[in-house]
Amino acid sequence: MTDLTLTAAATLGGFAHDFSGTTLTEITPLAIVAAAIPQGDEKSAHAAIKAAYGGLPTPTETHVSKDGKTRLVQVAPDQIFVVFGSDTNQANSEVNKALKGTCYTTDQTDVWVTLEISGPNARAAMARICQIDLHRDAFPINTAARSTMEHMGAMVIRTGEDQFQLMSASSSAGTFLHAVETSLKNVS
Amino acid sequence: MIINHPLLGPRDASEFVVKGAASLIDRPDWQAENATDAFHDYMYLRDNPAGEHAELWYHEQGDRSWLVVTRNTLTHEVTKVEMARDVARARGRSK
């Protein structure tokens, strides 16, 4: 048998560009694992999540672990995304182990593409394509919302003063990048 | 139109799809003696009220939750938005 070495490739080839001081970057590698909370076993699942990551997200606010490496995003009433930088291909078993098997975990890493938009024009670019109110007071740092942008399902997480992480389906990653990039060009 | 999601706050109606009357929650017992008649009514009979009307809405482009949205068909005013799960439980559903 031939020895084959598989190398992970970023969905958008690690896109990174500066548009007059506002940057648009693909965040990679980024592991995403969905943890679904079993009906009737919420207590033990919540306790395990707290023990592993130091807290729970709310429907609108994400939770960042103490070491700052893992972000928990509540994407549905009984589902949490565990998001962390990793390229080991072992994300699912790592999370499953950390949660001691109390949740149903599914690897979602390659299903999503994640962009980071950061800089003074980030909010203006977003305002044209995103119907969520991203005003500083209405959408504080660490807030997350799942909505649509240009008819594509997308999740917005505010990670800094003028910085947002945008997650969308990797199958339409190019179209999503085009939408955000065009909007950013229009305000730059 | 803005829907005041009980968990997420105000969201644009375009994120939702409407399933139909909230009476769909009251699915008949399929083992009951009168199941055929009960399912006929459940499937085909709908009220068409001029006024308050409760509907099942699905937050498809959001957190995938089912809501019961009560709105006035005459004024378009949305008077109440609840989690469908809570409504079903209040009516005696176990899950």
Side-chain angles (χ1 to χ4, degrees), chain A:
Chain A
M1 267 202 24
T2 325
D3 280 332
L4 290 173
T5 313
L6 297 177
T7 312
T11 312
L12 294 167
F15 179 88
H17 198 82
D18 188 315
F19 298 88
S20 326
T22 300
T23 55
L24 185 62
T25 320
E26 180 188 9
I27 303 186
T28 181
L30 193 70
I32 303 163
V33 176
I37 293 160
Q39 223 170 47
D41 290 325
E42 289 87 353
K43 263 191 182 170
S44 53
H46 286 161
I49 296 168
K50 270 189 192 169
Y53 302 108
L56 284 166
T58 73
T60 52
E61 201 185 336
T62 63
H63 171 77
V64 182
S65 65
K66 249 191 179 162
D67 59 12
K69 286 181 182 163
T70 309
R71 184 186 291 275
L72 306 182
V73 188
Q74 187 161 332
V75 291
D78 291 319
Q79 194 182 52
I80 287 167
F81 273 9
V82 183
V83 184
F84 55 104
S86 166
D87 60 352
T88 60
N89 281 343
Q90 299 298 317
N92 189 53
S93 52
E94 279 171 30
V95 172
N96 203 19
K97 208 170 145 192
L99 300 179
K100 299 190 165 49
T102 54
C103 298
Y104 304 118
T105 58
T106 316
D107 200 315
Q108 298 259 345
T109 302
D110 291 333
V111 184
W112 296 82
V113 66
T114 308
L115 293 173
E116 183 178 83
I117 184 167
S118 180
N121 286 331
R123 209 170 263 103
M126 295 287 294
R128 293 183 165 215
I129 52 171
C130 176
Q131 55 206 351
I132 301 290
D133 183 357
L134 297 176
H135 188 275
R136 283 185 175 79
D137 300 334
F139 206 78
I141 292 175
N142 287 334
T143 304
R146 193 171 182 178
S147 179
T148 53
M149 278 184 234
E150 299 282 17
H151 309 287
M152 285 170 279
M155 210 137 56
V156 188
I157 305 166
R158 186 171 166 209
T159 51
E161 196 48 43
D162 294 314
Q163 183 171 291
F164 300 91
Q165 267 183 24
L166 317 175
M167 292 164 74
S168 193
S170 61
S171 53
S172 48
T175 315
F176 187 65
L177 173 66
H178 177 70
V180 182
E181 191 183 351
T182 305
S183 186
L184 187 51
K185 275 180 188 164
N186 286 340
V187 296
S188 294

